[in-house]
Structures are given as C-alpha cells and as structure tokens.
Amino acid sequence: MQILDGKALAQKIEKNVASEVVKLKENSGRTPGLAVILVGQDPASQAYVSMKKKACDRVGFYSVSHEMPEDISQDAIENTIMMMNQNPNIDGILVQLPLPPQIDTTKILELVDPAKDVDGFHPYNVGRLVTNLDGFVPCTPLGVMKLLEEYNIDVKGKNCCVVGASNIVGKPMANLLLNADATVEICHIFTDDLKKHTLQADIILVGVGVINLIKEDMIKEGAVVIDIGINRAKNGKLVGDVDFEHVAPRCSYITPVPGGVGPMTIAMLLSNTLKAAKINAGKNT
Ligand code: NAD
C-alpha cells in the first residue's frame, strides 16, 4: 500500500506557481489577484478562507477578502461581485460556500464573470467541463486528478465509483474521470446497497461527509481509495469518510486525511487563479 501524498505534491505545485508569478510580473507587470467573499462567522469557512489567503501570500498573489455579516442582503453581495468583475487587479473571484439561507446562492454564482470563476462553479464553466472543453474546473476534483497523474495511476478504462454527487465535489469528479476515459458510476444518499457498487471499483472516490462510511469489506483487494471527506471527529481530530486504519491494508494506494486531497484543493485554487491572470495578461498586451 502506498500513500498518495497530497501535501508534498501541493508544495511542489505551489513552488511552481510562485516562480510563474515572478515571470508573469517581469513579462507583463501583472500580479495575479484573488478576491474572496466570506459571509458570516462559520469557523470552518473562516479557517478555509484564512488558509487560502496565506497560500496567496506564499506565492506572491495580491488577495483581498470581503467579510460580510450573516444578515447581509442579496444586493450587497451582488454589488461586491459586480465591483470585482470590473476590477482589473482581480483575476479570480471566490465566494466561500455555504451562504446564509436568505441568499440565493445560484444567482450569486451566476453573477461571477466566468473568466474570473476560479472555483469553476458558474454554469458556463460547468457546461465546458461536461463537454470536455477548456475552462475553470472545481479545485477539489481537479486536485484529485493531479494527484492520480502524479502517481501514474491511469484511469482509462478503469471502473471508478464516485460516492457523493454534489455540484462541487462528486459531479465534477465524475465528469473529469469520464473525460479521462474511465467507466464511472456515481453513488449518493439514495443509492441502494452502496457496498455492491464500491466492491466493483478499481478506484473509489468518496466525498460525502460521513465518518467511516467506507469500511474494509466495501473495497476489493488492491483498489485505489481517494478520501475527499473532511470531518471533525469527537476527539477534535480531522478525519475523512474512509475507515483509514482498516481500509489502507487492502489498498494499492490511498489518500490520508489530513494531507491528501485537502492541500491539493488549495494548490488548484492557486493554479486556476494563475491561469486566469495569464489569460488577462495576454488580453492586455
Ligand atoms: P454535500 O452535503 O453537498 O453532498 C454530500 C453528498 O454525499 C450528496 O450527494 C449526498 O447524496 C451524498 N451522501 C450523503 N450521505 C451519504 C451516504 N450515507 N451514502 C452515500 N452518499 C451519501 O457535501 P459536499 O460539499 O460535496 O462535501 C462532501 C465532503 O467533502 C464533506 O466532508 C466536505 O467537508 C468535503 N470536502 C472536502 C474538500 C477538500 O478540499 N478535501 C472540498 C470540499 C468538500
């Protein structure tokens, strides 16, 4: 069994982004800029935004965060997004989800300029992913694909079982695998007999938010297991959706939590923002 070390790969990608930033500044005078919109006081969202901000600082991006109270109006968020869409110093806009219940999240995500949609949540970019055209791809599933590539795990023709079907994790994960010629099955909360499906898989990718959902008797010997889940255990530790201790000995490869997919998500945010900045630099020269 080999560990897929997302932390190490993320550091390698960060270094590469940092040197690309230096080159971009020299060649075009542009510094990649990321705007983050954070609504409310949710500790997990605050922690993610702070990690993203620190990562931007490490690679030399300009970043700005717009922190708004929980009872903010739809109009106020929309006005901020429209300002960021117009701001030439901003290449990427990220709206930290979830938004409070009074806010129409779909409307907010649709307002982000698709050329600055570094999270890949705008329907324009979703459509480009589904049709296998270049665009912005959600950071978490993109990070998983990079991790598989790094370890030469070819998904072509493999049976892949994606567990979890959200718009930000499961669905784009399944599309990326399909674009890479895998045979893809998507399971979710209403899937009958999950084990029947996971047992067929060469590669299991789980992003659900349920501690120990995937147990040792649910995977075939030698499978690759990608744990996208991030949960807080009763003892305060971060854990995934896979019973790592018992599942790992049966796998060929497995991601740990923490240190697997999580760091790759941030690395992909940097890489998507750099991509947007390069496109903008091209437009202005
Ligand atoms: P979500 O709640 O939007 O979606 C959860 C999905 O899991 C749904 O499709 C649901 O049908 C499915 N599901 C729920 N219970 C299930 C069960 N018992 N069996 C099978 N399917 C079940 O959540 P999300 O935003 O997609 O996040 C999922 C997990 O991934 C969470 O733990 C989240 O913290 C984590 N996450 C990690 C990263 C990262 O960087 N590693 C990024 C985003 C989300």
Side-chain angles (χ1 to χ4, degrees):
M1 181 274 298
Q2 197 179 343
I3 295 284
L4 297 170
D5 188 344
K7 194 173 168 195
L9 178 57
Q11 279 168 357
K12 199 163 116 181
I13 292 169
E14 252 192 38
K15 255 179 124 176
N16 196 31
V17 170
S19 67
E20 291 281 314
V21 171
V22 173
K23 276 193 233 158
L24 188 73
K25 281 184 194 169
E26 276 170 13
N27 296 338
S28 70
R30 272 195 78 86
T31 301
L34 178 72
V36 178
I37 293 168
L38 171 65
V39 181
Q41 303 289 320
D42 175 50
S45 292
Q46 284 176 329
Y48 291 137
V49 166
S50 148
M51 282 193 283
K52 288 166 186 175
K53 166 111 187 57
K54 282 183 190 150
C56 285
D57 292 345
R58 286 197 298 271
V59 297
F61 285 3
Y62 161 68
S63 73
V64 56
S65 49
H66 294 270
E67 296 182 15
M68 301 175 172
E70 186 79 26
D71 60 356
I72 191 90
S73 69
Q74 178 86 18
D75 280 354
I77 307 181
E78 288 186 7
N79 287 337
T80 305
I81 291 177
M82 286 189 285
M83 253 164 46
M84 294 299 111
N85 281 345
Q86 298 298 325
N87 186 335
N89 296 321
I90 295 299
D91 299 292
I93 301 171
L94 181 157
V95 183
Q96 187 65 42
L97 301 180
L99 294 171
Q102 78 276 13
I103 302 298
D104 181 342
T105 301
T106 308
K107 222 173 148 210
I108 295 292
L109 296 180
E110 281 184 330
L111 200 63
V112 174
D113 180 347
K116 297 190 177 189
D117 173 35
V118 287
D119 252 343
F121 294 162
H122 191 290
Y124 174 83
N125 283 313
V126 176
R128 292 188 71 87
L129 170 61
V130 172
T131 44
N132 201 5
L133 296 170
D134 188 34
F136 290 106
V137 174
C139 302
T140 301
L142 185 60
V144 171
M145 295 306 283
K146 296 281 174 209
L147 198 51
L148 292 170
E149 265 168 42
E150 176 74 5
Y151 285 83
N152 297 314
I153 301 169
D154 190 4
V155 304
K156 188 172 184 171
K158 298 275 169 57
N159 288 331
C160 294
C161 182
V162 178
V163 187
S166 69
N167 289 338
I168 63 171
V169 179
K171 285 185 205 165
M173 186 75 258
N175 279 303
L176 283 169
L177 291 164
L178 188 60
N179 290 347
D181 298 325
T183 301
V184 186
E185 201 177 15
I186 310 174
C187 298
H188 46 75
I189 187 108
F190 299 113
T191 298
D192 185 33
D193 194 358
L194 180 62
K195 181 175 162 181
K196 187 179 89 188
H197 299 272
T198 55
L199 272 174
Q200 303 299 318
D202 304 307
I203 306 177
I204 299 165
L205 309 100
V206 53
V208 164
V210 176
I211 297 176
N212 289 343
L213 179 72
I214 304 297
K215 301 185 181 64
E216 61 193 303
D217 64 343
M218 294 172 75
I219 67 154
K220 75 175 179 189
E221 189 78 40
V224 176
V225 174
I226 306 292
D227 191 350
I228 304 170
I230 302 179
N231 309 293
R232 185 72 65 184
K234 278 192 189 128
N235 61 9
K237 280 193 180 167
L238 277 189
V239 295
D241 292 343
V242 175
D243 178 3
F244 184 89
E245 189 192 340
H246 298 104
V247 168
R250 288 180 62 79
C251 299
S252 52
Y253 295 91
I254 187 166
T255 56
V257 178
V261 177
M264 289 303 297
T265 298
I266 297 196
M268 290 304 102
L269 173 66
L270 298 175
S271 146
N272 278 352
T273 306
L274 177 67
K275 174 176 168 170
K278 281 183 176 174
I279 296 170
N280 280 331
K283 276 184 201 153
N284 296 332
T285 50

